[in-house]
Amino acid sequence: MLPESLKREVKEINAEKFKQMLLVATNVLKEVENEINDLNIFPVPDGDTGTNMYLTLSNAVEEVENTTEDSVGIIANNLAMGALMGARGNSGVILSQLLRGLSDGIGDAKVLTAEVLADGLEKAANKAYQAVMKPVEGTILTVSKDVGRRAQDLADELTVAELLIEAVKEAEKSVLKTPELLDKLKEAGVVDAGGKGYQMFLTGLLQGLTSDGAVITTTKGLTGKKIPDRKEGRTESEFGYCTEFIIKGARIEDDEFKEILNKYGDSIIAVKSNDILKVHVHAKNPGLVLEEGLKYGQLTRIKIENMSEQHEERLKKEIESEVEDKQLQNLDGIGVLAVAAGEGLETIFKKLGVSYVLLGGQSMNPSIQDLLDGVNKVNTDKVIILPNNKNVISTAEQIKELTNKEVEVIPTRTIPQGVTAMMLFNPEGDLGEVSSDMKEEVEFVKTGEITYAVRDTKIKEIEINKDDILGLNEGNIEVVCNDYNQATLDLLEEMVEEDDSLITIYVGEEVSDNDKNALIDSLEKTYDEFDIEIYDGGQPIYYYIISVE
C-alpha cells in the first residue's frame, strides 16, 4: 500500500503508470486464476471463470503494452477493444463490457483523477448490466455496481490513490455478501467467482499503482498456450517421437514441468486445468519423459508416435485439409460454424452440413476473435453459429456487431442440441426462417452428460467427492457413483419418458472399447424397443454425451 504521506499526493495517474497498473493486474489475475476457478459452484470441469477472465485481460493488455500514447483515455480505449476481441466465456464477455464502460467513463482524459476514475467505475457497472439480458444479483454485476456507487460517493473527497483503495475495500465487502444474495452460492459454500475476479483486477490495479517498478512488465508468454504451426520452421531435429499424455492429480505447475522437459525435447506444450496436466513433447527418448511425469502424478492417455514414419502421412492430411477448407470457402447460401471438441464430433457435424468446426467447448471456450476468424473462413454472407455450450453463447452473440455478414446464433447449450438443430438446416433457405426452425427443434431433445468431479462439495444434500463420476441431466447433477457405465444407465432411468424412442450416445476419448461394448450390451437389453445409436465422439471431459428423443 502507499505510505500515508503519499496517499494525498497521488492526485493523478499518467498514461505510463496506468499501463503498469494494467500489467500488474494481469499478473495478479494469473496468480489467482486457479483459486477463482475453484469457486465454480458445480464441481465439474468448467469453462473456468478465472482462466477466461485472465485470458480476456491478457489479450486486452497486449493491445496497450507497447503503445507510446501518453493519454490514459487512448490506452483505456485500446484496452477495451483488445478485451472485446479476446473475450472468452460469459465471465470474459462481462469483463470486456466492464472495461468498455471504464473506457467510456475515462473518455479522452489525458490523466486519471479521482473524478475520472469514479465515472469509469460507475459506467463500467452500467455497461455490464446492459450487456446481460437477465441480470442476477449476487454476481460480478452486483460487485461492480457497489464499487461504482461507492466511488461516486467519495470522488469529491479523496485523491485517485485513496479512491482506488476504497474501491478495492468495497469490492472485498461486496464479494463476501454475494452468498447472501444468491442461494446457490450459499449452498455450495463459495462466493461468486466473477465478482472475486473483478475484485482481484481492482486489487491488481492498486498493486500496480503502489509498485516501485519491480514488476513483470510484459504479458508475453502469459496469454495462453498456442500450439506451434507444424508447417512453419520444421527441421529434421524435430523428428523423433511425438509423446502425449495426461498427468492426473498433478503435483506440479505447467511452467515448472515445461522447464523439466526442455532437456528431453522440443515443441513442448504443458497445459494445466485444476489438477489435470496435459503434456505434448517431441522427444528422442519418450521413456525418460514418462518417468518424469510419473514423479508428479498418475499417467493416462499415453500416446507415442514415430514422427519420421508419420511425416509423409501428416503432410498428406494437411494438404487434404487445406483443399477441404478452400472448398468450404466457396459455399453459396447459408454456412454454419459449430463449436465442438473431438475428431468424431467434428466429422459428425461436417457430415450434417456444417461448414467449419471450431475447436472448443467445455473448459476450452473460444474467444470472440476465434469465432470471428471462424465466421470469416465460411465464405458466405450468411452464417449460423452453433455454440453447443452455455458458456460460449454470449461470446457468439458479440459476432453480430463485428462483421458485415448476416449472423444468427442458435443458442445450443449442448452437442445433442447442435446435432438436432442441424437436422432442420437448409442451406438454400431464408436465414431468418431457417434459424427459427432450428431454434424450435432444439427444444425437443434431452441431453445427459457423464463427467467427473474436480472437488469435494455438497449440492442439494448430495455429498460429492473429488473424482466421483457425475451424471448431469440438462446440466443438473442427478447421479453420483464411481463407474461411468453405471452412471449412464442410472441417468437414462431419469431421462427416458414414455413417448421417447431414440437414444444416442457420443463416446468420449477416455472410454475403452471394452467399456463401450459393455454399455451397448446393457442398453440393448434394457431398451430393446428403442433405436440406439452409438458414435465415437472423441470428446474430452465427458465420458459419454447422451441424447434422448
Side-chain angles (χ1 to χ4, degrees):
M1 290 294 180
L2 284 172
E4 290 295 330
S5 59
L6 292 181
K7 288 181 183 178
R8 297 299 302 175
E9 295 178 17
V10 183
K11 296 181 180 179
E12 61 182 41
I13 297 168
N14 63 24
E16 192 61 31
K17 191 65 174 180
F18 186 49
K19 278 204 311 182
Q20 176 173 284
M21 292 164 64
L22 293 169
L23 287 163
V24 174
T26 305
N27 294 323
V28 167
L29 268 184
K30 175 60 178 174
E31 290 173 2
V32 299
E33 174 187 348
N34 289 332
E35 176 186 336
I36 294 172
N37 288 343
D38 288 343
L39 294 175
N40 180 26
I41 294 175
F42 289 101
V44 299
D46 203 343
D48 296 334
T49 299
T51 300
N52 286 339
M53 294 185 76
Y54 160 66
L55 291 176
T56 299
L57 184 60
S58 296
N59 195 83
V61 173
E62 279 190 349
E63 293 294 317
V64 304
E65 65 175 318
N66 293 320
T67 181
T68 57
E69 298 289 349
D70 63 353
S71 165
V72 168
I74 294 176
I75 289 175
N77 184 63
N78 291 343
L79 181 78
M81 287 301 298
L84 175 61
M85 300 311 295
R88 297 170 186 265
N90 297 331
S91 56
V93 170
I94 292 176
L95 178 60
S96 73
Q97 295 305 305
L98 287 166
L99 295 179
R100 177 75 269 167
L102 179 68
S103 173
D104 292 344
I106 292 174
D108 58 1
K110 189 168 184 177
V111 296
L112 197 64
T113 64
E115 291 78 9
V116 172
L117 177 59
D119 286 344
L121 293 173
E122 183 179 51
K123 288 187 177 179
N126 293 340
K127 193 74 173 178
Y129 268 89
Q130 292 168 10
V132 179
M133 185 174 296
K134 295 180 180 179
V136 177
E137 298 302 331
T139 65
I140 186 174
L141 298 178
T142 305
V143 176
S144 66
K145 177 177 63 178
D146 290 345
V147 168
R149 286 177 178 174
R150 181 65 173 166
Q152 282 292 356
D153 290 343
L154 299 174
D156 294 336
E157 307 171 14
L158 305 176
T159 65
V160 66
E162 292 171 325
L163 186 68
L164 188 52
I165 291 171
E166 292 301 318
V168 170
K169 290 179 180 178
E170 185 65 27
E172 291 173 350
K173 289 192 291 185
S174 184
V175 167
L176 291 175
K177 290 190 296 184
T178 54
E180 300 173 16
L181 301 173
L182 204 55
D183 288 342
K184 58 184 180 180
L185 292 175
K186 182 183 293 186
E187 182 181 28
V190 295
V191 297
D192 180 67
K196 183 68 175 180
Y198 188 53
Q199 174 199 328
M200 297 313 300
F201 167 68
L202 295 174
T203 300
L205 291 181
L206 180 58
Q207 288 186 15
L209 174 62
T210 60
S211 171
D212 60 3
V215 297
I216 298 174
T217 55
T218 180
T219 59
K220 288 182 174 62
L222 294 176
T223 56
K225 288 68 177 179
K226 181 180 179 181
I227 299 176
D229 190 334
R230 291 179 299 172
K231 292 180 285 185
E232 297 179 3
R234 183 184 277 132
T235 65
E236 283 299 315
S237 65
E238 290 178 323
F239 297 139
Y241 293 91
C242 177
T243 307
E244 298 178 356
F245 56 93
I246 285 177
I247 304 176
K248 284 188 174 182
R251 301 183 297 276
I252 190 171
E253 295 304 313
D254 44 15
D255 289 339
E256 296 176 68
F257 198 62
K258 281 192 287 188
E259 289 295 323
I260 293 173
L261 293 181
N262 272 330
K263 60 184 177 182
Y264 296 111
D266 56 17
S267 298
I268 297 168
I269 303 169
V271 183
K272 189 173 184 181
S273 177
N274 296 304
D275 63 350
I276 302 295
L277 180 61
K278 188 167 186 178
V279 179
H280 169 283
V281 60
H282 294 173
K284 291 183 179 179
N285 191 330
L288 295 177
V289 174
L290 297 178
E291 286 181 11
E292 291 290 351
L294 281 170
K295 295 177 183 178
Y296 301 103
Q298 180 183 354
L299 301 191
T300 184
R301 284 170 48 198
I302 299 171
K303 180 181 178 183
I304 300 173
E305 288 185 351
N306 186 312
M307 293 172 62
S308 296
E309 292 179 356
Q310 297 295 327
H311 178 46
E312 293 302 323
E313 182 64 25
R314 290 186 178 184
L315 284 178
K316 179 182 176 182
K317 287 183 178 179
E318 286 173 1
I319 293 171
E320 291 174 349
S321 178
E322 289 173 0
V323 170
E324 182 181 7
D325 284 345
K326 288 179 180 178
Q327 292 173 340
L328 292 174
Q329 290 178 23
N330 288 284
L331 294 170
D332 294 324
I334 304 171
V336 179
L337 179 150
V339 179
E343 290 184 8
L345 293 180
E346 180 179 5
T347 299
I348 290 168
F349 275 116
K350 285 185 175 180
K351 286 183 177 179
L352 289 171
V354 168
S355 312
Y356 182 77
V357 179
L358 176 63
L359 177 66
Q362 194 76 347
S363 82
M364 298 180 290
N365 299 155
S367 69
I368 289 177
Q369 185 67 64
D370 293 333
L371 286 162
L372 183 60
D373 290 344
V375 167
N376 289 334
K377 287 183 178 180
V378 181
N379 194 22
T380 60
D381 292 331
K382 302 171 184 178
V383 181
I384 289 172
I385 301 177
L386 301 176
N388 299 332
N389 185 281
K390 62 181 177 60
N391 210 29
V392 180
I393 294 173
S394 61
T395 315
E397 290 286 355
Q398 308 302 311
I399 303 301
K400 296 178 182 179
E401 307 299 324
L402 300 173
T403 178
N404 292 326
K405 297 185 178 185
E406 291 183 66
V407 174
E408 288 287 343
V409 177
I410 312 299
T412 50
R413 302 183 302 278
T414 66
I415 291 296
Q417 287 187 345
V419 171
T420 299
M422 285 304 298
M423 298 299 181
L424 267 290
F425 175 59
N426 176 11
E428 305 299 329
D430 174 79
L431 179 62
E433 292 178 0
V434 172
S435 60
S436 178
D437 289 342
M438 293 173 75
K439 288 177 183 177
E440 287 182 12
E441 189 68 12
V442 163
E443 302 304 319
F444 294 103
V445 63
K446 293 177 287 188
T447 299
E449 294 154 328
I450 306 300
T451 184
Y452 56 91
V454 295
R455 63 180 174 86
D456 297 343
T457 190
K458 183 177 181 180
I459 296 178
K460 294 182 179 178
E461 304 304 316
I462 301 175
E463 293 286 348
I464 298 172
N465 297 315
K466 186 175 179 295
D467 296 327
D468 278 348
I469 303 299
L470 306 177
L472 281 63
N473 184 0
E474 302 295 348
N476 299 311
I477 298 173
E478 294 195 4
V479 174
V480 179
C481 65
N482 57 10
D483 178 88
Y484 50 67
N485 273 8
Q486 187 59 50
T488 303
L489 297 172
D490 292 346
L491 186 62
L492 280 169
E493 286 187 20
E494 301 292 332
M495 294 178 63
V496 171
E497 297 176 316
E498 185 177 351
D499 294 335
D500 294 326
S501 58
L502 173 64
I503 296 173
T504 305
I505 307 286
Y506 303 94
V507 182
E509 63 180 350
E510 289 197 52
V511 177
S512 68
D513 286 341
N514 287 339
D515 286 341
K516 178 180 72 172
N517 292 332
L519 178 65
I520 293 173
D521 289 342
S522 296
L523 291 175
E524 289 177 345
K525 292 175 183 176
T526 306
Y527 300 98
D528 57 326
E529 295 182 359
F530 278 67
D531 291 325
I532 298 174
E533 298 180 356
I534 308 292
Y535 299 98
D536 287 324
Q539 71 274 2
I541 308 296
Y542 300 115
Y543 299 109
Y544 298 111
I545 297 175
I546 305 164
S547 170
V548 177
E549 300 176 71

